[in-house]
Amino acid sequence: MANVEAGTGGAGKRSGGGAYYYEEAEAEERAWTAWLVPLIVVACVAVFVAEMYVNNCPAHPGPFGSCAARFLHRVSFQPVRENPLLGPSSSTLEKLGALEWNKVVHQSQGWRLVTCIWLHAGLIHLLANMLSLLFVGIRLEQQFGFVRIGILYLLSGFGGAVLSALLLKNSISVGASGALFGLLGAMLSELIINWTIYSNRAAALLTLMVIIAINLGIGLFPHVDNFAHIGGFLSGFLLGFVLLIRPQFGWLERHDLPPSAQVTSTYKAYQYVLWVIALLLLIAGFAAGLVMLFRGVNGNDHCHWCHYLNCVPTSRWSCDD
């Protein structure tokens, strides 16, 4: 998810080391056709086109020079000096539903916690998010179906928006990055809760951890809303335990096994424990976050070091809004 400064005009064990390659998963993939994720991509692209149409750069000249890609006429981009991501002005994003703390808390515009997920700050921002969504989301939808992945995507994006609103008060924020990080978090928790059915699980875990660390590390640069990334990741991580749990090895084949080898429970004990803990933490986290937000609580007052999770100042850049 990107933040823009307010006022300025992202049937056996698994046979390979990858996160989602094993025989039973391949059978499930044949049962599910991924259509929701491509539909989300189409929706985000359509919304971005609408953003640029409403923005109408040629009709609103500003101090930053001429519009970029003027051959696009009404849908041309704001000057690169104003928006290097090739997109609309921050005022247009705010008009269309960008996340802005004051409007959510003091003007009762809680709907912005949802609409901000569908907006993007620029063409570069849109392409980066949509390519990532196609790469990660289609595979998940093929395995778990559109209902679970749809819930996971929307609630992760919502969770990212809530944390962003609590801790990022002086900027507006847009983008699907929180939802994308939720998918990454769910991949990690799915591996953990279904640990016993996988082979090469240590390699898969290490690969996922490296990918997640790199992406969260990128969020430490200025003008990137890492709070949305973290909130989305945590939401998706907990949702993965709840939504992506799989029966233990041998359960689906129990009728083909001799009585002495049959398993008697769908899930292992540790899976039940993780499911309950994750559900309770998820409910508590969303409830606490929403209560704090609509009471106007500034999250930074309770966490004086949290701003370093969003941007680390160096000699090369400042983190001031």
Side-chain angles (χ1 to χ4, degrees), residues 2-50:
N3 71 281
V4 185
E5 294 183 11
T8 57
K13 291 193 176 182
R14 194 173 281 181
S15 58
Y20 290 96
Y21 294 90
Y22 73 116
E23 294 173 11
E24 187 178 322
E26 292 176 357
E28 289 186 23
E29 286 176 7
R30 289 191 292 270
W32 295 100
T33 299
W35 60 267
L36 179 63
V37 169
L39 183 62
I40 291 173
V41 172
V42 171
C44 287
V45 171
V47 169
F48 182 71
V49 173

Side-chain angles (χ1 to χ4, degrees), residues 193 238-243 245 267-284:
I193 197 168
L238 294 175
L239 283 165
F241 286 119
V242 176
L243 297 176
I245 185 172
Y267 305 107
K268 287 184 173 291
Y270 83 91
Q271 290 179 294
Y272 285 111
V273 172
L274 288 175
W275 190 92
V276 171
I277 292 174
L279 181 62
L280 293 176
L281 288 176
L282 193 65
I283 294 172

Side-chain angles (χ1 to χ4, degrees), residues 7-247:
T8 57
K13 291 193 176 182
R14 194 173 281 181
S15 58
Y20 290 96
Y21 294 90
Y22 73 116
E23 294 173 11
E24 187 178 322
E26 292 176 357
E28 289 186 23
E29 286 176 7
R30 289 191 292 270
W32 295 100
T33 299
W35 60 267
L36 179 63
V37 169
L39 183 62
I40 291 173
V41 172
V42 171
C44 287
V45 171
V47 169
F48 182 71
V49 173
E51 287 177 37
M52 300 313 305
Y53 183 83
V54 172
N55 186 67
N56 194 9
C57 178
H60 304 92
F64 296 99
S66 60
C67 302
R70 289 182 62 86
F71 64 89
L72 294 174
H73 303 292
R74 178 168 180 139
V75 295
S76 58
F77 309 120
Q78 290 298 114
V80 175
R81 288 177 55 200
E82 180 182 355
N83 187 344
L85 295 177
L86 301 178
S89 65
S90 60
S91 60
T92 297
L93 291 172
E94 189 171 351
K95 181 194 304 182
L96 293 177
L99 183 63
E100 204 273 314
W101 180 84
N102 184 64
K103 293 185 181 298
V104 171
V105 175
H106 296 300
Q107 299 182 30
S108 302
Q109 296 183 11
W111 48 268
R112 290 179 179 269
L113 294 168
V114 177
T115 55
C116 69
I117 304 170
W118 302 94
L119 299 171
H120 285 84
L123 182 62
I124 297 173
H125 187 208
L126 176 72
L127 288 175
N129 277 350
M130 294 304 99
L131 289 174
S132 299
L133 176 59
L134 288 171
F135 182 75
V136 175
I138 286 182
R139 187 73 180 180
L140 284 172
E141 187 180 351
Q142 286 174 336
Q143 291 185 28
F144 296 101
F146 70 93
V147 174
R148 284 186 281 183
I149 298 308
I151 294 172
L152 180 59
Y153 182 87
L154 292 175
L155 287 183
S156 296
F158 182 77
V162 170
L163 187 63
S164 177
L166 280 171
L167 295 167
L168 193 69
K169 300 184 66 172
N170 299 321
S171 300
I172 64 174
S173 182
V174 295
S177 304
L180 289 172
F181 270 82
L183 297 183
L184 287 176
M187 289 174 69
L188 179 60
S189 56
E190 191 274 332
L191 177 61
I192 294 172
I193 197 168
N194 302 317
W195 187 258
T196 58
I197 68 174
Y198 292 120
S199 62
N200 295 332
R201 48 201 175 214
L205 178 62
L206 179 61
T207 301
L208 268 177
M209 293 296 291
V210 170
I211 293 172
I212 292 166
I214 291 173
N215 282 276
L216 288 175
I218 293 173
L220 298 177
F221 287 86
H223 308 301
V224 178
D225 184 3
N226 212 30
F227 291 134
H229 296 173
I230 295 171
F233 175 80
L234 292 176
S235 300
F237 182 69
L238 294 175
L239 283 165
F241 286 119
V242 176
L243 297 176
L244 306 186
I245 185 172
R246 294 180 185 272

Side-chain angles (χ1 to χ4, degrees), residues 241-263:
F241 286 119
V242 176
L243 297 176
L244 306 186
I245 185 172
R246 294 180 185 272
Q248 64 171 305
F249 178 70
W251 173 256
L252 298 178
E253 302 82 10
R254 64 191 183 282
H255 298 300
D256 300 324
L257 299 174
S260 60
Q262 290 184 3
V263 295

